[in-house]
Amino acid sequence: MKLVQQQTRRFDTLAQTRTAHAQRRIWLAPLLAFAEAKRWTLFSEYAEQASLASSTRATYWAVLHSAAADLKKPMTPAIKAIQKRLDEAAAERLPWTLAENQFVSLEGMTKLLPLAAENPLVLAVVLSWTIGHRIGDVLKLRTENVAVDVPFPNLRGKVSRLTFVEGKTIHKIGKYSVFLSDSVPFNDAWKSHVARHASRPYLFLESEALLNKDDLAKATEAAERKLLAEVERHIGRIDLRAIRRGGLSQMSSAGSSDEEVITFSKHASPGMLQAYLRAGQFNGAVASTQAAITANQFQQLERPWNWRGQL
C-alpha cells in the first residue's frame, strides 16, 4: 500500500515535474469547445502530427476529458467508447508490460550472438545491447551514416563510426556519433551486413527509399514486433527497453564509471542513469504490482483537472 501511495503522489505531481507533457495537455483544452465528433477528428489529427504513441494517446484523451468536469461537460458513452478503443490499442502496442525479463543479460546475449550473422534484426539487437542504445534508434540508423575501418586515436585496431540523425535521443542532444570496436565478437557479421546493404537507405529496415516520418515509425514498429518474436524464441519474452538496459547494466557491472556509461546512454545525469538501471530490477510479482499501481493512477484522472499543473 505504501508503494501505491508513493507512486500515486508522484503521478499527482506529474505536470509539475514534466512541464513539457503538461503543456501539451493544456494545449488540448480548447478541443472541449467542439462537439464530440469534431473533437475526436481534431484530436486524431493532432496525435498523428505529433506521432504520439498509442499509450500516450490513451492518456491524453483521458486527461482531456477529466478536465471536462470543470466545464460541466458530461462523460458521454461515445467518449467512453473512444477511451476503451484507445486503451485496447495501447495494450496491444505494449505487450511487454508484465514481462519478467526486464533486461537482457550477458548470458542471454551469448545465446543470440550465433544468430546475428543470419538474421539482421538479431544483429540489430546485439548492436543495440553492445552500445547501450534504444533499439528503435538503431533501427532508424541510415546506411550512409555508417563507416567501417575508421582509425581511432590511441587504438591499434580500427572502429566503425555510427552517426545517429534520427530517433528519440537526437531530439534531446542533436546529431551524434558512437564507435564500435573491431574486437566485438560479432564484427564479421556486422561488416558483412554493412557491405551487403550498402545501397539500402536504412541499415536494418527493408526499404528502398528514405521514409517520411509516419512511414518510418510504422516500419520501425513492424521491425520491433518481428525482433521481439525472434528473441522470445531463444531467450524468452522481453521488454523492448530490456535490450538497452541490459547492455548498460553490463557496462556498469563490468566496472565502467557512470560517466563512461553515459557516453553511450546519453542520460542527463548519473542519477538518471542509475534510476533507469534500477527500473529493470523487476520480477513477475513486482511487475504485477506495478500494473495495479498504474490502474490506480488512471483512476485519479476522474478527478477534476484545474489546468494549473495539479490534480
Side-chain angles (χ1 to χ4, degrees), residues 127 136-143 145-146 162-166 190 201-204:
L127 175 63
D137 288 3
V138 170
L139 292 174
K140 294 183 178 75
L141 187 61
R142 294 186 184 182
T143 307
N145 293 326
V146 174
L162 290 67
T163 301
F164 290 85
V165 299
E166 296 193 69
W190 161 250
Y202 299 95
L203 193 58
F204 294 107

Side-chain angles (χ1 to χ4, degrees), residues 61-137:
W61 186 255
V63 171
L64 172 63
H65 290 94
S66 69
D70 287 345
L71 301 176
K72 309 300 181 183
K73 291 182 178 290
M75 189 75 163
T76 66
I79 293 174
K80 292 180 179 179
I82 292 174
Q83 185 68 61
K84 182 178 179 181
R85 292 203 305 271
L86 291 173
D87 290 342
E88 290 173 348
E92 291 176 1
R93 177 66 184 89
L94 306 176
W96 36 259
T97 301
L98 295 180
E100 294 187 14
N101 230 346
Q102 295 289 328
F103 69 96
V104 178
S105 66
L106 178 60
E107 179 183 2
M109 189 52 56
T110 301
K111 295 179 181 179
L112 293 177
L113 270 175
L115 308 172
E118 303 296 331
N119 191 319
L121 291 180
V122 174
L123 176 61
V125 170
V126 173
L127 175 63
S128 175
W129 188 91
T130 302
I131 63 175
H133 267 52
R134 296 178 176 88
I135 185 63
D137 288 3

Side-chain angles (χ1 to χ4, degrees), residues 50 91 109 150 153 196 226 237 241 271 275 304 307:
M109 189 52 56
V150 176
R196 286 199 312 271
K226 288 181 181 179
R237 188 182 184 192
R241 293 167 292 188
W307 303 107

Side-chain angles (χ1 to χ4, degrees), residues 9-217:
R9 283 197 299 271
R10 188 177 306 161
F11 181 81
D12 286 346
T13 59
L14 183 63
Q16 293 177 325
T17 58
R18 298 184 180 179
T19 305
H21 285 196
Q23 288 175 340
R24 283 187 178 181
R25 292 167 179 174
I26 292 172
W27 294 339
L28 294 174
L31 294 181
L32 293 174
F34 294 93
E36 292 174 6
K38 182 64 173 179
R39 188 186 312 167
W40 169 242
T41 299
L42 293 173
F43 178 85
S44 298
E45 291 175 354
Y46 163 75
E48 289 297 321
Q49 292 172 0
S51 298
L52 299 184
S54 53
S55 57
T56 305
R57 298 183 189 204
T59 301
Y60 280 16
W61 186 255
V63 171
L64 172 63
H65 290 94
S66 69
D70 287 345
L71 301 176
K72 309 300 181 183
K73 291 182 178 290
M75 189 75 163
T76 66
I79 293 174
K80 292 180 179 179
I82 292 174
Q83 185 68 61
K84 182 178 179 181
R85 292 203 305 271
L86 291 173
D87 290 342
E88 290 173 348
E92 291 176 1
R93 177 66 184 89
L94 306 176
W96 36 259
T97 301
L98 295 180
E100 294 187 14
N101 230 346
Q102 295 289 328
F103 69 96
V104 178
S105 66
L106 178 60
E107 179 183 2
M109 189 52 56
T110 301
K111 295 179 181 179
L112 293 177
L113 270 175
L115 308 172
E118 303 296 331
N119 191 319
L121 291 180
V122 174
L123 176 61
V125 170
V126 173
L127 175 63
S128 175
W129 188 91
T130 302
I131 63 175
H133 267 52
R134 296 178 176 88
I135 185 63
D137 288 3
V138 170
L139 292 174
K140 294 183 178 75
L141 187 61
R142 294 186 184 182
T143 307
E144 65 181 5
N145 293 326
V146 174
V148 299
D149 295 327
V150 176
F152 195 81
N154 302 320
L155 188 68
R156 290 184 179 180
K158 294 184 178 181
V159 300
S160 294
R161 182 179 63 243
L162 290 67
T163 301
F164 290 85
V165 299
E166 296 193 69
K168 186 174 181 178
T169 304
I170 67 141
H171 293 304
K172 299 180 179 179
I173 64 173
K175 174 183 173 181
Y176 67 96
S177 297
V178 297
F179 299 89
L180 182 70
S181 171
D182 278 5
S183 65
V184 294
F186 57 95
N187 187 53
D188 290 342
W190 161 250
K191 287 188 174 181
S192 176
H193 180 78
V194 173
R196 286 199 312 271
H197 300 290
S199 61
R200 178 187 287 181
Y202 299 95
L203 193 58
F204 294 107
L205 297 179
E206 297 178 356
S207 172
E208 299 303 320
L210 288 176
L211 303 174
N212 61 40
K213 187 176 181 180
D214 291 339
D215 289 341
L216 179 58

